[in-house]
Amino acid sequence: MTTTTTTTIQIASSTLPFPQVFTSSIATFSSRAPLSLSRRMTSTSAPLRFRRMITKARFHSNDAKPLPGLPIDLRGKRAFIAGIADDDGYGWGIAKSLAVAGADILVGTWVPALNIFETNIRRGKFDESRMLPDGSLMNISKVYPLDALYDTPEDVPQDVKSDRRYAGSSKWTIKEVAESVKEDFGSIDILVHSIANAPEISKPLLETSRYGYLASVSSSSYSFVSLLKHFVPLMNPGGATISLTAFASERVLPGYGGGMSSAKAALENDTRVLAFEAGRRHRIRVNTISAGPLRSRAAKAIGIIDMLLDYSLMNAPMQKELLAEEVGNAAAFLASPLASAITGTVLYVDNGLNAMGVGVDSPAFKDLTIPTQDNKS
């Protein structure tokens, strides 16, 4: 057995008012053992006895023994993840998977949420969710205040500058954050966009104002364009970017309004265009993950998350709850050398729901025998 130590988060920033190579070698982390991916089955309390298939990182005890298969090795890589404000969303799941694979983690947090995010980490409220498979805690090397609605200081309106929620924080526009990361660390290898917001998301598209529509596109899609624009100069050749989209970009999803579906469609098209431009100019890969529903704090704001979860469980080919770590593991693959030829792609991580043309739980199919985990016919 190897000896592991608990790493505490380091928060030390001159910008904050408080402390705060592709290889094919086997992934080992100092005294940690090699990393491989395995699956284990556990049951859930879902009423129809659906099972959760949890993908975990497993550590072996023999460092000298070569690991069979294709390990995900991100040692020596640095990832900047924009949009983490708590410990239960897809951004957090991606951060953990990248950390397990050996990457150094940097985080950009929305300015009004920064203090509570930092406080929760310092007080240990996230310790359970920071736990890695080897028993150590995920380390975040630095947390940056970030408001991805604004590209430069000149873009910030006076009412935002004087907003008390922004008091005490500085250098939080996209350009300034990129400059701070370059000054602090020199370069990054992985850029993750986990940002989405629509002020009128509860409104149908026909009732959405021009302001609400453009705000949704600005926050949820153009922010990725701007992040890549400003971070590309400090990304090492061969680096990777990942964003998060949803199947509402190509299918009607009632209740997902305010222009958000349009923003996700724009994000997916931008992924293809940016894959060409960033690939040709900078050797950077650009992909997006279309993730299924997750009962995160952010998703609860949509108001239909429970309905989406029930629908997915009843209609997806894999009848199980989707976990943030499953999306995180897919992101780790896309960021790794194993995906070196994958770019401009929408990767579905949704238990296969995107493949379905109809909802099989509809009364219209009541006389049709539909396979389930408990009915193998």
Side-chain angles (χ1 to χ4, degrees):
M1 298 294 293
T2 57
T3 300
T4 60
T5 58
T6 298
T7 305
T8 56
I9 185 168
Q10 302 169 355
I11 306 171
S13 170
S14 59
T15 64
L16 299 180
F18 44 81
Q20 43 158 67
V21 177
F22 290 161
T23 66
S24 60
S25 60
I26 295 173
T28 57
F29 312 93
S30 301
S31 61
R32 307 175 191 174
L35 168 70
S36 66
L37 298 179
S38 64
R39 291 180 174 180
R40 63 182 175 87
M41 300 295 293
T42 59
S43 61
T44 67
S45 57
L48 296 183
R49 292 180 294 173
F50 296 137
R51 296 186 177 187
R52 296 173 64 178
M53 183 181 297
I54 304 177
T55 306
K56 289 287 188 180
R58 175 175 294 171
F59 289 86
H60 300 280
S61 60
N62 186 356
D63 281 334
K65 183 179 179 181
L67 180 68
L70 298 171
I72 294 178
D73 186 354
L74 297 178
R75 290 173 300 168
K77 307 296 183 182
R78 183 173 295 113
F80 181 86
I81 304 172
I84 297 180
D86 53 45
D87 66 336
D88 72 345
Y90 284 135
W92 184 270
I94 291 173
K96 282 190 67 176
S97 291
L98 296 179
V100 169
D104 184 30
I105 304 299
L106 311 176
V107 167
T109 299
W110 188 45
V111 184
L114 180 67
N115 286 336
I116 189 169
F117 179 69
E118 299 273 19
T119 299
N120 285 337
I121 292 177
R122 286 198 300 268
R123 292 180 177 177
K125 292 188 176 181
F126 294 161
D127 282 1
E128 182 177 355
S129 57
R130 286 173 60 201
M131 187 72 66
L132 300 181
D134 68 344
S136 67
L137 298 181
M138 177 179 66
N139 181 66
I140 299 176
S141 294
K142 192 165 183 178
V143 179
Y144 294 86
L146 170 68
D147 193 325
L149 280 178
Y150 307 106
D151 304 315
T152 69
E154 294 73 29
D155 298 326
V156 183
Q158 185 57 45
D159 62 323
V160 175
K161 291 180 180 178
S162 59
D163 191 323
R164 61 182 180 81
R165 298 178 301 169
Y166 289 73
S169 295
S170 62
K171 297 183 179 180
W172 41 259
T173 64
I174 291 177
K175 179 182 178 182
E176 292 174 301
V177 173
E179 291 172 344
S180 295
V181 171
K182 183 176 181 179
E183 181 180 350
D184 294 338
F185 297 96
S187 64
I188 65 170
D189 304 276
I190 303 163
L191 176 65
V192 178
H193 177 274
S194 181
I195 300 172
N197 182 53
E200 299 179 14
I201 194 168
S202 61
K203 293 183 179 180
L205 188 57
L206 275 175
E207 299 175 12
T208 299
S209 69
R210 182 183 297 269
Y211 162 78
Y213 185 95
L214 295 178
S216 175
V217 173
S218 174
S219 174
S220 308
S221 54
Y222 184 76
S223 59
F224 176 61
V225 177
S226 182
L227 275 170
L228 186 53
K229 172 185 176 181
H230 288 92
F231 273 84
V232 150
L234 57 147
M235 291 189 71
N236 293 316
T241 72
I242 300 163
S243 63
L244 290 166
T245 184
F247 74 93
S249 65
E250 53 187 294
R251 299 285 189 275
V252 177
L253 178 56
Y256 196 71
M260 182 61 83
S261 58
S262 304
K264 292 302 187 181
L267 179 64
E268 292 180 16
N269 190 67
D270 292 343
T271 294
R272 291 182 282 270
V273 175
L274 293 171
F276 174 76
E277 295 181 358
R280 289 295 184 95
R281 296 180 184 180
H282 305 284
R283 289 176 53 203
I284 301 298
R285 295 183 294 108
V286 183
N287 292 293
T288 188
I289 293 176
S290 184
L294 177 75
R295 191 182 281 107
S296 64
R297 294 182 183 92
K300 291 175 183 176
I302 301 175
I304 59 172
I305 186 60
D306 289 333
M307 287 182 283
L308 291 177
L309 288 166
D310 291 341
Y311 181 85
S312 179
L313 282 172
M314 292 298 299
N315 294 285
M318 301 297 293
Q319 290 187 281
K320 65 179 185 62
E321 181 182 355
L322 181 67
L323 305 178
E325 67 185 72
E326 293 176 306
V327 173
N329 290 341
F333 162 72
L334 287 176
S336 77
L338 300 181
S340 59
I342 300 176
T343 192
T345 295
V346 178
L347 177 63
Y348 296 94
V349 185
D350 61 356
N351 288 324
L353 187 61
N354 71 92
M356 302 303 297
V358 297
V360 296
D361 61 342
S362 168
F365 296 97
K366 62 182 176 60
D367 296 326
L368 185 66
T369 301
I370 302 296
T372 68
Q373 284 187 328
D374 294 326
N375 176 11
K376 303 301 174 64
S377 59

